[in-house]
Amino acid sequence: MSAAGPWRFAPSDRVLTREIKAAEIVRIPLSAPRLRLMRLNCCTQVRQTVFGADSGVGYPAAEALPGAKIVPGAFALVRVAAARPKGRSAAAQAALATLVDGTKQTGVVQKAVDAKSLKGVDVATQ
């Protein structure tokens, strides 16, 4: 039987748990001291044939594992949102919308993605 290995409680864990029917899911505990070790040895230590993660983890893991390949495409999409506490004024909502629109238009998020050389990240511009 094949095994898929997402980080425990990560978005990829939820997606793979819902979608995978013909493989065992072997969850990898995520903790700061173990992160580097797991990135380097995730597939070999738990005998996984597939490692499911976001691009910030998946690309470095694939680069560290001889013979590993990134499958083109995506099995999930992580959307990020900004919100304000309930009961705040319309002016607060407008200020938040202005801030978010400004970061999109000026490319602040894209610059941060580029600065960290993140792969597989699409930044909304509108």
Side-chain angles (χ1 to χ4, degrees):
M1 173 178 267
S2 295
W7 295 117
R8 183 174 294 157
F9 305 122
S12 54
D13 184 4
R14 291 189 294 278
V15 171
L16 292 173
T17 298
R18 183 179 64 238
E19 301 295 332
I20 296 291
K21 306 294 184 222
E24 175 186 7
I25 296 177
V26 180
R27 289 169 181 85
I28 301 169
L30 180 59
S31 63
R34 296 185 64 195
L35 181 59
R36 183 172 167 79
L37 175 65
M38 295 309 285
R39 278 186 177 172
L40 296 175
N41 298 308
C42 62
C43 294
T44 57
Q45 284 188 347
V46 292
R47 296 183 180 88
Q48 298 163 338
T49 53
V50 175
F51 173 64
D54 61 71
S55 60
V57 174
Y59 279 93
E63 290 168 2
L65 293 166
K69 295 179 182 167
I70 297 289
V71 176
F75 64 87
L77 176 66
V78 178
R79 295 181 186 266
V80 179
R84 62 176 170 82
K86 187 175 180 179
R88 293 286 170 97
S89 67
Q93 175 65 32
L96 178 60
T98 299
L99 175 69
V100 171
D101 289 342
T103 60
K104 290 178 184 179
Q105 292 171 3
T106 60
V108 169
V109 176
Q110 186 63 56
K111 289 174 187 171
V113 169
D114 295 343
K116 292 295 181 178
S117 300
L118 298 178
K119 299 176 185 174
V121 178
D122 293 323
V123 178
T125 57
Q126 296 183 4

